[in-house]
């Protein structure tokens, strides 16, 4: 009976987890991904004029002096770079560099969805790159701007 309850809790929590794809993490392992307002959805719905927080917890599988944020919007199969005002993840997050092999880190980034953004559905590809330009973390998630 106890194992049935535990299995039900695990299945329920996985059914309501944020849907994302590991799109090529090479020197890190994703532990958890969260986006405010997207906890119970297959597609993150972003309302123009609102702010959201993207949060990823990962284990570094390498040592790296630097960590850089790179973001793409993928619309109709075409990757469009998204300008990141402060791409240095070591300076603009709670991550202290250098990264250490086997260490767990949490990266958070505030997303402002401007009113000028067009209403569309796309995938967002979020990469954290090490000092050798390898993806420590690569997360792709579907979004809809409304």
């Amino acid at each position: 009976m106890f194992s049935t309850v535990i299995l039900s809790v695990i299945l329920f929590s996985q059914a309501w987890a944020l849907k994302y794809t590991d799109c090529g993490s090479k020197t890190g392992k994703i532990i958890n991904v969260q986006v405010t307002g997207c906890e119970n959805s297959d597609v993150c719905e972003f309302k123009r004029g609102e702010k959201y927080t993207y949060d990823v917890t990962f284990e570094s599988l390498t040592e790296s002096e630097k960590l850089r944020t790179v973001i793409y919007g993928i619309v109709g199969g075409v990757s469009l770079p998204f300008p990141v005002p402060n791409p240095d993840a070591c300076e603009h997050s709670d991550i202290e560099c250098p990264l250490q092999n086997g260490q767990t880190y949490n990266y958070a980034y505030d997303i402002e969805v401007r009113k000028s953004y067009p209403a569309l559905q796309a995938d967002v590809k979020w990469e954290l790159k090490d000092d050798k330009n390898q993806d420590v973390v690569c997360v792709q998630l579907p979004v809809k701007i409304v």
Side-chain angles (χ1 to χ4, degrees), residues 27 62-66 68 129-135:
T27 59
T62 189
E63 294 182 4
S64 180
E65 294 295 320
K66 300 176 185 176
R68 183 173 49 93
K129 294 193 169 276
D130 64 19
D131 52 13
K132 294 179 182 146
N133 207 34
Q134 296 286 318
D135 283 339

Side-chain angles (χ1 to χ4, degrees), residues 103-119:
Q103 185 79 359
T104 299
Y105 297 93
N106 187 69
Y107 171 82
Y109 190 89
D110 291 328
I111 305 162
E112 179 185 353
V113 181
R114 296 183 182 158
K115 290 186 178 190
S116 62
Y117 289 175

